[in-house]
Amino acid sequence: MAELIDGKQLAKTVNAQTKRAVTELKTRGVNPKLIVILVGEDKASQIYVRNKQRKAVQLGIISETTRLPEDVSQAELLKLIDQYNHDDTVNGVMVQSPLPRQIDEAAVTRAILPTKDVDGFNPENVGQLYSNSNLNFPVSCTPKGIMSMLKAYQVTLAGANAVIVGRSNIVGRPMAALLLNASATVTVVHSQTKDMRAYTRNADILIVATGIAHLIKGEDIKPGATVIDVGMNRDENGKLTGDVDFDSAEPVAGKITPVPGGVGPMTIATLMQQTVELTKWSE
Amino acid sequence: MAELIDGKQLAKTVNAQTKRAVTELKTRGVNPKLIVILVGEDKASQIYVRNKQRKAVQLGIISETTRLPEDVSQAELLKLIDQYNHDDTVNGVMVQSPLPRQIDEAAVTRAILPTKDVDGFNPENVGQLYSNSNLNFPVSCTPKGIMSMLKAYQVTLAGANAVIVGRSNIVGRPMAALLLNASATVTVVHSQTKDMRAYTRNADILIVATGIAHLIKGEDIKPGATVIDVGMNRDENGKLTGDVDFDSAEPVAGKITPVPGGVGPMTIATLMQQTVELTKWSE
């Protein structure tokens, strides 16, 4: 029986801290403001963006969503970002993924001012992360939220054997950097890895971010390991399910995140937390 | 009996290519120019800088070394860098490490214009590397040179189990990114890793960059592995020796770099190569 890492509960705690910080900023006349840019009509994106805006409003953060048509040009999008970059009332800017084909996503991440880059995707911020910089800089919210979970559940990081399944720029790679900066021994495995399970079975900390439902089963987990499931897959009944087969994993793991109610709520809580951090850092 | 990875010979090939590229640029009136800034009187630094300048001159690259006193202020150093950033005749700028205590090394790496950052240490370039960007950007020369060696000796990277010993910003971390981008399974082990040898013994590709003479012995190596020794230590007789105990490692490894004559010559050859690349990219 693993201890459940309750992301929903922890997100509440983080959100309460954020709300207090916002209140405190407002007494000084500072009003944190987050801009979300949504391109096109993607259904899932609309839900994500609505959830972000709702959470921001709950916490006292001014949130504006700017909607652009599916066929918006790259130049128009970059021009809009530039306007927000120059707008002193704006503290955080993010562009919801995925973007339509005519838009170069890397150019968009480069365009957002590093000091307003609430998603932490700008190369300059990525570089600070990988250089283990001691400056203030934003970090991709999902892995940053996972670090908060590991800390809250007192998981030992220094010297732990951490294995990350998946090498995306949003989760796998920044997760590797954060864990290495925290002195874990870090392995990144991915689709081209031979015998992935030989690695996962030795992991003290296992982070799974592949988008493949139930890729990791109980037999792939070291007894007592901390298992973090970043997966958000829909099963045949439309039910949300993770990259880890919870039923077989839970009896083996020491600590484990559920899906839903694990990483998901912490990602959005971290986005709000980071909006406030960017606001404070820019003061 | 391992195959020797002859860095000295490969550096000659790379240098010959660089020399041809420089000649070709000159026929178009473009003269690649490298600025090396040397602060203080560190003996080893003076030798490194002299070797770089000599190699640059051999290859037709204009090389200027600017010497600053040990007690130079951070402001003066940054002002000098800014001058070179704005000088259109300058293609590459580097500041020789180590720097005296009053200088913030991270601030120096941030100050060099990313497009002239021949050492590849600027966070923006580091971020491009870790994001596996498809743009042109400079990369730390030692790991980039190692990638050239692995390619020249036809070492299979995709799916290989690569283990990097050491997590410095100059070698270990960028090496991890390069190998991950090349689809190796990558583990970074370091001083806080428990049972380092359990990792090194399973490595198909083992990169050792710790500064600890003879840390890795034959028994720590998987038979047939490719072993890259980044170490440059002086033994009790003043002789240059690596982080790998060559005598016991060589019979076990499949391919191995000697020290000296391995990674060292490739680092300087890569610096020259990258100076020319920066020149071309800025055209």
Side-chain angles (χ1 to χ4, degrees):
Chain A
M1 277 291 288
E3 180 183 4
L4 213 64
I5 299 181
D6 188 342
K8 210 171 159 181
Q9 189 55 46
L10 186 58
K12 278 183 191 165
T13 307
V14 172
N15 286 333
Q17 287 163 351
T18 300
K19 194 171 182 174
R20 278 199 299 277
V22 171
T23 305
E24 199 270 328
L25 282 165
K26 285 185 172 173
T27 62
R28 295 191 274 124
V30 179
N31 294 289
K33 185 170 176 179
L34 171 66
I35 303 290
V36 181
I37 300 173
L38 174 60
V39 180
E41 305 289 332
D42 184 79
K43 279 271 179 293
S45 291
Q46 289 182 337
I47 295 169
Y48 291 144
V49 167
R50 198 191 315 140
N51 289 344
K52 286 169 189 174
Q53 189 153 27
R54 189 179 297 161
K55 185 57 68 186
V57 169
Q58 279 175 14
L59 305 182
I61 294 169
I62 303 169
S63 169
E64 285 178 16
T65 303
T66 301
R67 287 163 198 275
L68 295 173
E70 181 79 25
D71 64 351
V72 68
S73 72
Q74 167 121 340
E76 283 173 274
L77 177 54
L78 294 183
K79 196 181 153 199
L80 181 68
I81 291 170
D82 192 58
Q83 280 171 17
Y84 290 127
N85 283 346
H86 286 90
D87 181 345
D88 286 346
T89 71
V90 170
N91 303 103
V93 180
M94 61 161 294
V95 180
Q96 182 67 43
S97 289
L99 288 169
R101 233 180 281 181
Q102 77 276 15
I103 307 287
D104 174 5
E105 201 150 346
V108 169
T109 65
R110 284 195 304 279
I112 296 171
L113 203 65
T115 50
K116 298 189 181 186
D117 172 32
V118 72
D119 264 337
F121 296 164
N122 183 292
E124 196 177 311
N125 289 322
V126 174
Q128 301 285 3
L129 171 62
Y130 281 89
S131 307
N132 198 11
S133 162
N134 56 9
L135 299 176
N136 292 322
F137 56 90
V139 174
S140 182
C141 293
T142 298
K144 184 171 173 170
I146 292 170
M147 291 301 283
S148 299
M149 297 171 99
L150 295 173
K151 194 181 171 193
Y153 282 80
Q154 299 178 302
V155 177
T156 302
L157 303 179
N161 184 30
V163 174
I164 298 154
V165 187
R167 55 171 164 165
S168 72
N169 284 337
I170 299 177
V171 185
R173 287 163 183 260
M175 190 80 249
L178 287 164
L179 287 167
L180 187 61
N181 292 350
S183 294
T185 300
V186 178
T187 301
V188 180
V189 306
H190 48 78
S191 54
Q192 294 206 44
T193 295
K194 288 170 190 159
D195 195 7
M196 176 192 73
R197 290 174 170 79
Y199 298 90
T200 64
R201 280 184 195 133
N202 279 313
D204 301 316
I205 300 170
L206 180 62
I207 318 272
V208 191
T210 64
I212 303 169
H214 297 192
L215 176 70
I216 299 293
K217 306 200 188 316
E219 66 201 50
D220 309 322
I221 295 170
K222 181 178 174 177
T226 297
V227 178
I228 307 288
D229 186 352
V230 186
M232 296 269 264
N233 316 288
R234 295 274 167 196
D235 71 9
E236 57 273 26
N237 305 317
K239 212 184 125 199
L240 209 57
T241 188
D243 293 354
V244 175
D245 175 34
F246 189 86
D247 291 344
S248 66
E250 191 271 343
V252 184
K255 296 173 180 169
I256 189 167
T257 60
V259 175
V263 172
M266 277 304 288
T267 295
I268 194 160
T270 304
L271 183 74
M272 298 304 138
Q273 181 187 50
Q274 198 148 263
T275 301
V276 171
E277 285 171 339
L278 288 176
T279 308
K280 286 182 175 175
W281 297 338
S282 71
E283 275 193 286
Chain B
M1 278 287 290
E3 180 182 5
L4 212 66
I5 299 181
D6 188 342
K8 208 171 160 184
Q9 188 56 44
L10 186 59
K12 278 183 191 165
T13 306
V14 172
N15 286 333
Q17 288 163 352
T18 300
K19 195 171 182 176
R20 278 198 300 278
V22 172
T23 305
E24 200 271 327
L25 283 164
K26 285 185 172 174
T27 62
R28 296 192 273 126
V30 179
N31 293 289
K33 185 169 174 178
L34 172 65
I35 304 290
V36 181
I37 301 173
L38 175 60
V39 180
E41 305 289 331
D42 184 78
K43 278 272 179 293
S45 291
Q46 290 183 338
I47 295 169
Y48 292 144
V49 166
R50 198 192 314 140
N51 289 344
K52 286 170 189 172
Q53 189 153 28
R54 189 179 295 161
K55 184 58 70 188
V57 169
Q58 278 175 14
L59 305 182
I61 295 169
I62 303 168
S63 168
E64 285 179 17
T65 301
T66 302
R67 286 161 199 277
L68 295 173
E70 181 78 25
D71 64 351
V72 68
S73 73
Q74 167 121 339
E76 284 173 274
L77 176 55
L78 293 183
K79 195 180 154 200
L80 181 68
I81 291 170
D82 192 57
Q83 280 171 17
Y84 290 128
N85 284 346
H86 286 90
D87 181 345
D88 286 344
T89 70
V90 170
N91 303 104
V93 179
M94 61 161 293
V95 180
Q96 182 67 44
S97 289
L99 288 169
R101 231 180 284 182
Q102 77 275 15
I103 307 287
D104 174 2
E105 200 149 347
V108 170
T109 66
R110 283 196 304 280
I112 296 173
L113 203 65
T115 49
K116 298 190 181 186
D117 172 33
V118 72
D119 264 338
F121 296 163
N122 183 293
E124 196 177 309
N125 290 321
V126 174
Q128 301 284 3
L129 171 62
Y130 281 89
S131 307
N132 198 11
S133 161
N134 55 10
L135 299 176
N136 292 322
F137 56 90
V139 174
S140 182
C141 293
T142 297
K144 185 171 175 171
I146 291 171
M147 291 302 281
S148 299
M149 297 171 99
L150 294 172
K151 195 181 170 193
Y153 281 81
Q154 299 177 302
V155 176
T156 302
L157 303 180
N161 184 29
V163 174
I164 298 155
V165 187
R167 55 172 164 164
S168 72
N169 284 337
I170 299 179
V171 184
R173 288 164 182 260
M175 190 81 249
L178 287 164
L179 286 167
L180 187 61
N181 292 350
S183 293
T185 301
V186 178
T187 301
V188 180
V189 305
H190 47 79
S191 54
Q192 294 206 44
T193 294
K194 289 171 190 158
D195 195 7
M196 176 193 73
R197 289 173 171 77
Y199 299 90
T200 64
R201 279 183 195 134
N202 279 312
D204 301 315
I205 300 169
L206 181 61
I207 318 270
V208 191
T210 63
I212 303 168
H214 297 190
L215 177 69
I216 299 293
K217 305 201 188 316
E219 67 201 50
D220 309 322
I221 295 170
K222 182 178 174 178
T226 297
V227 178
I228 307 287
D229 185 353
V230 186
M232 298 267 264
N233 316 289
R234 296 272 167 196
D235 70 10
E236 58 273 24
N237 305 314
K239 213 185 123 197
L240 209 57
T241 188
D243 293 355
V244 176
D245 176 33
F246 189 86
D247 291 344
S248 66
E250 191 270 343
V252 183
K255 296 172 182 172
I256 190 167
T257 59
V259 175
V263 171
M266 278 303 290
T267 294
I268 193 162
T270 303
L271 183 73
M272 299 304 140
Q273 180 187 51
Q274 197 148 264
T275 301
V276 171
E277 286 171 340
L278 288 176
T279 307
K280 286 181 175 176
W281 296 338
S282 71
E283 275 193 287

